Amino acid sequence: MQKTSPGYIQGMTSCPIPTDTFTGREEVLTKLEGFFHHEHATERTKTFLLYGLGGSGKTQIALEFTKRFKQRFTAIFFITADQEDSIQGSYLDIAKTRISGVQNAQHWKAGLHWLSMHDEDWLIVIDNANDPKIPLMKYLPSCGHGNVIITSTNPELGVIADQSLELSGMPPEEGIQLLVKHAFKELNKISDQQQKVAAKIAKELHYFPFALVQAGAYINKQQCLFEYLDRLENQREQLLSKGSRQLKDKYSRSMYETWNLSWGQLSPDSRMFLGLCAHLHYENIPRALFERGVENWNMAESPLGPSHAVTEDKIMDDAASYSLILINDQSHEYMFHPLVHKWLKDKVKDSYREAIEGIVVLAVGEISQEMEIVSLNQKDHEFFQRLSPHVRALGDSFISDHVVKFAIGYIWLELYQCQEATIMWEPLLDVMIKKLGLGHTLTLYHEYQMARVYKLSGRGDKALELQQKLFETSKEVLGDEHKATLSRIHNLAITLAIQRRTDEALGLQQSLVETSKRVLGEEDLYTLDRTQNLAETLLTLGRTNEALELEQSLLRASKRVLDKEHPDTYTLKIIQNVVGTLQELGKKNEALELEQSLLKISKRALGEEDPQTLYRTQKMTETLRALGRTDEALKLEQSLLEISKRVLGEEDPEILYRTQKLAEALRALGRTDEALELEQSLLEISKRVLGEEDPKTLYRTQDMAEKLRASGRTNEALELEQSLLETSKRVLGEENPETLYRIQDMAEKLRALGRRDEAFELEQSLLETSKRLLGEEHPQTLHGTQKLTETLRALGRPNEALKHEQSLLEISKRVLEKEHPDTYTLDIIQNLPVTLRALGRTIEAFELEQSLLKTSKRVLGEEHPDTMDRTQKLAETLRVLGRPNEALELAQSLLETLKRVLGKEHPDTFNRTQDLANTFNITQDLAETLRDLEKTNEALELEQDLLETSKRVLGEEDPETLYRTQDMADKLKALGRTDEAFELEKSLL
């Protein structure tokens, strides 16, 4: 007979009570309640898995659930599942306590059998089922009744559960509350300052339950709330490694000790992998880092050797079974909880550091030591972008190996992070010169790369100095016609051109092209590239004919290259540049002809679905559209979109771009409905792929609203804008400038639709926010006040509008008394006199305009356009007030200023024509003022002068001149001078 299970202890399945400091987790408890609800009948035992890191609160949540819903179940059993003996002992305890007359049962299966046969609504909590080696399925009752909650670090147990939920950090408010409960004995005596510090501590601990409990117990014992963050920064490992027997949940093991138990269960390979990751950033570690490294690593004995893909999967499964690492299968990336990552760093210290640096070097790949153009494909660039936070995490000051420094500097250079590349490479260049000498190939190559860094970072002088030195050394060591020497001449010429030393650049480029043709051949990609650069320099110098002649020879060479069966892909890129230059020279038909050949070759050599072919198709559509061949462009764009969808999938960002281009083409052809339909589908894809809160989606939503409004679909546009406003509030916050702008815009649109009450509500809240955030005198607040008064007046609430206007008037006066008021504020205040005049409050308008003009002269000067505009406004107000002499004096002084500043016959450019129009207006106003003063002859003389100026400056057939001619004829007739009037009207005919 089999003996009693060695793990058996009498009464061991009695369910413990949860800690009395249990806090929050209502969302999780609600999910459990809903899952185990009576009405959710199933044909098998209901099983729910709570999984996550050790210390995430799984057990306490399960216990709190059993406490709250005890009456819901016929019996509750608690099984500790860290070992098989314990599981078997638990089932034996169930048999001994539940089966009548079998207190002497000897086999654990009796308990499992009883549960399977006993058709009741019992609940088993299987706690701490972390060991992936235990076949847990074997220990689950096989029946159509009963309930099971499993708590585990192993997400793979989800395959035996009906529903799973991962636990990690708590919501911030709950996390702070949990910390406070453990840190303070008297919760009602906590000060605001203590609460704020507690919030900072909770945030630093990522609201992780066990860390909060442990920190709270330590703070309570040491009375060190205000010192805790400093201690955590300087003594993290010691703080989080020590358990406490004083914890209110009676769990004495520390957080680090809990994770150390999981570490002990891992295979050596898994420990090594986690140790490597400890030196990287905790988020988005690309699997490609290790895959690319292994491709260049022939160490078969390494766990990441030739069969690395299978081995890496095994390692991941091992680590993930304890929730120590999270795996994103879609992006092929690994992630760690920040606290786990810090624990790993504390644990491994400097171990594995050299190994991960070596993997980074190998992931960069074999770096050519030839002095040629180094060009990465797009995949490399994207990989380097993903790698950058992990390279940064390695820390510049800790890297000593020269090869590692070179590889990391190379990553930064390709990402245009020049400052980081300089930090890595400047000291390395000094080392190379000392150890290898100036003429060594590696030194020359590194100087070449360093010059690239200087050039990209805008340090042209430094780049030029290095390139000149490099050029001289290359000539001496390698010879005048060596490929590397030619490459350095090319780079030196480009740097000179960037620094506008164009003549020097031209001299170098001309001799370089001749040498390249002789040494490499006319159709070599470097020769083509250098010829292209020479043509661009000639264009810059205005030597268009020479540039054109060069482009023609380049065009002929390009066509010969394209006739080859398999032209080099980089050569195709050079020819693509030739197309751009031809277009710049206005040779659009020649450009199109070359593009057509280029696209044909690209399809043949690379295939229709190659990214470069798709790119060239896109460029071709743009050329066709520029030539007015819109229908052909549209047809090509439609075909391009279909191919792109097939290759990339409907939700690739490139598809979004090409869909947008097709919509624009349809809109240009007047096919607005089709364009709108396409843009609506584009918006939906953008929401699904990028998310509703992505900046591109927000832009497309705004754009769609504007297009709907332009199509007369105002209500749909408004609905979109309202959703956009809600998103802005949620994502950016109600007080973010972008949100405030959207509120103002929404209010104006509602007002335009006659929905003034809704506009008023928005404007009122916006004004209060502006006052609180920006102050009463800020331009945005003044603008908001003005808009609100307009709405109140439109609503028929003049008294309230008046109250706001008085306030606005007082604030405006205060602002104008300042020494240096903001110019935008002056613009806002300028609108107020207009409102005051419209209300018949002309005197107040006049006083404000006087102050505004005085301030404008002081701040901007008498000849500033805004000051002159304000002078004109004040003259108009004086005329309305019946003070024509003062108006005349002001108008005459303004006219003199305008003539002095702009000239009597100011040049007819766009901006200056606008200023000239102002001159005409002032002169006209002055003439009218003279007429008001019964100085008719002087007024007429001024108007005749104005007409002559208009003819001379704008032309006799300009609409403005024609209008003035007719006006003059009418005035002459009114004076009885009909002959002169007739002559003018005859000229008009």
Side-chain angles (χ1 to χ4, degrees), residues 69 126 140 353 363 446 603 672 702 783 804 834 970 973:
F69 300 99
I126 300 179
L140 294 180
R353 184 178 178 85
H446 192 59
K603 285 179 179 177
T672 316
Q702 183 68 54
H783 180 69
H804 282 291
V834 179
D970 294 341
K973 274 193 278 188

Side-chain angles (χ1 to χ4, degrees), residues 439-692:
H440 194 280
T441 309
L442 277 175
T443 307
L444 294 172
Y445 180 61
H446 192 59
E447 283 183 326
Y448 158 73
Q449 294 287 15
M450 197 69 240
R452 284 182 69 202
V453 174
Y454 288 142
K455 188 163 64 176
L456 286 170
S457 60
R459 297 166 69 184
D461 292 339
K462 194 83 174 163
L464 189 61
E465 181 188 334
L466 196 56
Q467 284 175 328
Q468 284 171 327
K469 180 175 134 191
L470 185 59
F471 169 48
E472 293 303 326
T473 309
S474 282
K475 278 204 301 184
E476 186 181 328
V477 175
L478 304 171
D480 286 358
E481 297 186 351
H482 190 277
K483 280 175 71 177
T485 307
L486 297 179
S487 179
R488 280 157 194 161
I489 296 170
H490 176 67
N491 291 318
L492 178 57
I494 289 172
T495 305
L496 285 165
I498 290 169
Q499 293 199 334
R500 304 200 177 185
R501 293 166 63 175
T502 322
D503 291 327
E504 293 172 73
L506 182 65
L508 279 177
Q509 285 175 320
Q510 285 172 324
S511 68
L512 176 63
V513 167
E514 291 307 313
T515 308
S516 284
K517 284 178 181 178
R518 190 176 65 256
V519 174
L520 305 172
E522 287 198 6
E523 294 172 10
D524 181 84
L525 70 95
Y526 292 107
T527 304
L528 293 175
D529 190 28
R530 288 156 190 168
T531 307
Q532 173 69 28
N533 278 287
L534 175 57
E536 287 172 7
T537 303
L538 287 165
L539 273 174
T540 304
L541 289 166
R543 293 161 66 171
T544 314
N545 292 332
E546 292 170 78
L548 193 56
E549 189 181 330
L550 209 55
E551 286 294 343
Q552 294 293 353
S553 74
L554 199 54
L555 182 58
R556 288 191 294 272
S558 298
K559 285 179 178 176
R560 285 198 301 275
V561 170
L562 291 175
D563 286 338
K564 292 180 181 178
E565 188 62 31
H566 297 293
D568 181 86
T569 53
Y570 190 74
T571 309
L572 297 182
K573 286 183 183 178
I574 298 295
I575 295 171
Q576 185 74 56
N577 293 337
V578 176
V579 170
T581 309
L582 285 168
Q583 287 172 335
E584 193 178 336
L585 286 164
K587 301 284 183 180
K588 289 188 171 60
N589 289 314
E590 288 93 332
L592 180 63
E593 187 184 340
L594 190 56
E595 264 185 315
Q596 286 169 328
S597 300
L598 186 60
L599 182 56
K600 186 178 175 183
I601 296 298
S602 197
K603 285 179 179 177
R604 189 184 74 230
L606 306 173
E608 282 203 359
E609 299 178 354
D610 185 85
Q612 288 185 42
T613 306
L614 297 177
Y615 169 77
R616 285 171 188 136
T617 308
Q618 181 70 55
K619 298 303 285 182
M620 172 82 79
T621 65
E622 291 168 15
T623 305
L624 286 166
R625 198 179 292 112
L627 286 167
R629 294 162 66 172
T630 324
D631 291 329
E632 292 172 76
L634 181 64
K635 189 177 177 182
L636 203 57
E637 273 171 329
Q638 286 170 324
S639 149
L640 175 64
L641 185 58
E642 289 309 310
I643 296 169
S644 298
K645 283 179 181 177
R646 191 169 66 245
V647 175
L648 304 171
E650 294 216 0
E651 298 183 350
D652 188 274
E654 190 62 31
I655 299 298
L656 300 181
Y657 170 75
R658 285 175 183 154
T659 306
Q660 183 67 50
K661 284 290 178 188
L662 180 56
E664 288 170 12
L666 287 165
R667 196 171 290 284
L669 285 168
R671 294 161 65 175
T672 316
D673 291 338
E674 292 172 77
L676 197 59
E677 189 180 334
L678 207 55
E679 284 158 343
Q680 282 174 319
S681 74
L682 181 64
L683 178 58
E684 290 309 310
I685 294 170
S686 193
K687 285 178 181 177
R688 194 166 61 247
V689 176
L690 304 174
E692 292 201 6

